[in-house]
Amino acid sequence: MKPLVIVGDSLLDVDIEGSATRLSPEAPVPVVDAERLVQRPGGAGLAALLAARTETGVTLITGLADDEAGRGLHSLLSTAGVRVLALPMTGSTVIKTRIRARGQSVLRLDRGDATPVDLPLSEEATTALGDARAICVADYGAGVTALPRIREALTRLAPRVPLVWDPHPRGSAPVPGCALVTPNDEEAQRFCGSAWSGDAGQTLLDTWHARMVCITRGSRGARVYGAHREVTNIGVPNGLGTAAADACGAGDRFAVAAAVALGAGADGVAAVRAAVADAARFVATGGAGAVSSPVPGEAAQGLSAPTQLEDRSRVDAIALAERLRRDGRTVVATGGCFDLLHTGHIRLLRQARELGDALIVLVNSDDSVRALKGPGRPVMHDADRARVLGALACVDAVAIFDSPTPENLLDVLRPDVWVKGGDYVASELPESELVRRHGGEVVILPTVAGYSSSRLIAAASAGGSLSERY
């Protein structure tokens, strides 16, 4: 049988699972008592693993770094029956670690900076693509789908091989002629940008020159847009629409199922209908957690894997910015006290990270916070605030500054985008002129109403339940 070929960015997913029954005495954050450590391929690797559970002849074309995690990732995939054709990478394997308590994610820690090298495709990879019964592209924004030779091959094959493209906001645009492109609802609106007029599917169909666009909508099913402007709504089958605690991997399961159906001769709507059912069944039966493997050896016994994660509060922010600029990438920076971290901060940081290729957070020192907020602040020392920020997946580096405003640090950092949250006017910010003098842009993002560190600290000081008071 011809192979099902998966193309895209792979990473290693690690879950630390446990329970949380108390708050830390240092700060109002949960303490997770770790009980189990599991791992699995992530990204395109997870798509290939899921495909291999039901299909024979699964080939994965992906970048793999030459390090311990990369070799472990290769082993997990090969053991599952996936034929891995590795593209060369620089840097270290991307590892995403979720800390989970009673099935709910509490925190995610990311490390690794693997980047694919632009070299000619091997004869094996070229042959596998040419012989494929269907191709599923799992783009996770790490660079594989941006490689010119990958794009040339996929563009050449799209007219004759069913090509399903699962896009990523930081990834590359799908090549023209895809049989099906599968963004979710939120992604579709973001891909449209200023062109969005309330009908994202039709806009993206024209933008990407795809044969069909399917916007996935979680428990609400999917909406399919065809080349002749027809729109088809597909619901989740009865009995499979119950929300589950962990939907991780549902998008990969959906894209793989659609590719399999198209490769077997189904039309686009029938392929999406099968994919909706498969993805719902996958979530209902445990999602990605059901295909995870225990981490072997001392790492599992001592739960030592997290201690090896890079502390991004120690990353040299200026060196990172210089390296990214040399590569022609966009550096985003934001700043503040971040004492204590709350939902409004997280949303701001996530939105800021989406504006470029890396986010550097500038944090007021303890003395700087006291000058701004009074003698009772900060609640957390600057080093602790930096470590908490550095543990967030959307933050690439953290730097601490002593002055009331971060102008001295910005003068050296020279970000492409400087982000502030709230009701500021860009022209009134003292650092705006400096940022623009270096060719940067100032972006003001709205804050989330009802959230502030001062209210959180007051609620914690008053005692009782934080959920009732804040």
Side-chain angles (χ1 to χ4, degrees), residues 116-136:
V117 179
D118 183 17
L119 292 174
L121 291 180
S122 67
E123 183 177 345
E124 283 183 300
T126 302
T127 301
L129 287 168
D131 290 344
R133 70 180 189 269
I135 299 171
C136 176

Side-chain angles (χ1 to χ4, degrees), residues 36-409:
R36 184 168 176 254
L37 186 62
V38 298
Q39 63 182 357
R40 62 185 170 273
L46 178 58
L49 178 69
L50 297 176
R53 297 178 75 197
T54 57
E55 303 296 311
T56 56
V58 176
T59 297
L60 171 64
I61 299 175
T62 191
L64 286 181
D66 186 20
D67 57 14
E68 184 177 354
R71 290 186 287 274
L73 188 53
H74 191 289
S75 176
L76 287 170
L77 290 162
S78 298
T79 301
V82 177
R83 180 191 181 206
V84 181
L85 301 181
L87 305 173
M89 305 278 280
T90 60
S92 58
T93 298
V94 174
I95 302 174
K96 296 189 175 182
T97 302
R98 296 189 303 171
I99 299 176
R100 293 169 58 77
R102 296 183 179 178
Q104 296 294 326
S105 291
V106 176
L107 185 69
R108 196 181 91 181
L109 309 173
D110 287 10
R111 70 177 172 110
D113 58 354
T115 304
V117 179
D118 183 17
L119 292 174
L121 291 180
S122 67
E123 183 177 345
E124 283 183 300
T126 302
T127 301
L129 287 168
D131 290 344
R133 70 180 189 269
I135 299 171
C136 176
V137 176
D139 188 355
Y140 274 75
V144 166
T145 61
L147 293 172
R149 292 169 177 85
I150 288 286
R151 296 188 66 80
E152 289 167 7
L154 294 175
T155 300
R156 186 173 62 254
L157 292 168
R160 63 181 182 84
V161 178
L163 175 56
V164 175
W165 194 295
D166 189 8
H168 191 281
R170 295 196 302 274
S172 299
V175 300
C178 287
L180 186 67
V181 186
T182 62
N184 64 34
D185 225 343
E186 180 182 350
E187 290 169 345
Q189 295 180 31
R190 285 164 57 190
F191 286 130
C192 288
S194 59
W196 184 55
S197 60
D199 195 356
Q202 294 294 354
T203 300
L204 295 176
L205 198 65
D206 295 336
T207 300
W208 289 332
H209 304 289
R211 280 178 264 170
M212 279 190 169
V213 167
C214 170
I215 298 179
T216 59
R217 308 167 71 208
S219 61
R220 294 176 295 153
R223 182 172 292 150
V224 186
Y225 295 79
H228 300 295
R229 303 288 171 178
E230 68 271 22
V231 180
T232 306
N233 291 302
I234 297 174
V236 174
N238 291 337
L240 292 177
T242 304
D246 188 12
C248 177
D252 297 302
R253 178 66 257 177
F254 180 96
V256 164
V260 169
L262 288 170
D267 62 44
V269 172
V272 170
R273 187 169 284 110
V276 166
D278 272 15
R281 201 158 28 242
F282 171 76
V283 172
T285 55
V291 296
S292 300
S293 305
V295 174
E298 295 179 1
Q301 294 171 6
L303 294 174
S304 61
T307 66
Q308 300 170 3
L309 296 176
E310 178 184 25
D311 183 354
R312 292 183 180 177
S313 67
R314 297 174 180 263
V315 173
D316 187 329
I318 294 172
L320 173 64
E322 290 177 350
R323 176 169 60 82
L324 290 168
R325 272 196 298 272
R326 285 197 303 269
D327 294 341
R329 301 172 76 182
T330 301
V331 178
V332 182
T334 190
C337 300
F338 299 100
D339 179 45
L340 299 164
L341 202 65
H342 55 68
T343 295
H345 289 141
I346 300 299
R347 292 185 185 177
L348 172 72
L349 294 170
R350 285 178 175 170
Q351 289 175 336
R353 178 62 176 80
E354 291 166 2
L355 298 175
D357 299 300
L359 174 63
I360 298 173
V361 182
L362 310 186
V363 180
N364 294 73
S365 69
D366 291 347
D367 288 341
S368 177
V369 174
R370 273 190 289 273
L372 293 169
K373 306 285 187 179
R377 301 282 294 274
V379 172
M380 295 176 65
H381 291 305
D382 46 24
D384 292 326
R385 287 181 278 127
R387 274 192 288 269
V388 171
L389 287 163
L392 298 175
C394 55
V395 175
D396 297 277
V398 184
I400 298 171
F401 64 93
D402 285 315
S403 52
T405 63
E407 288 175 274
N408 292 337
L409 189 50

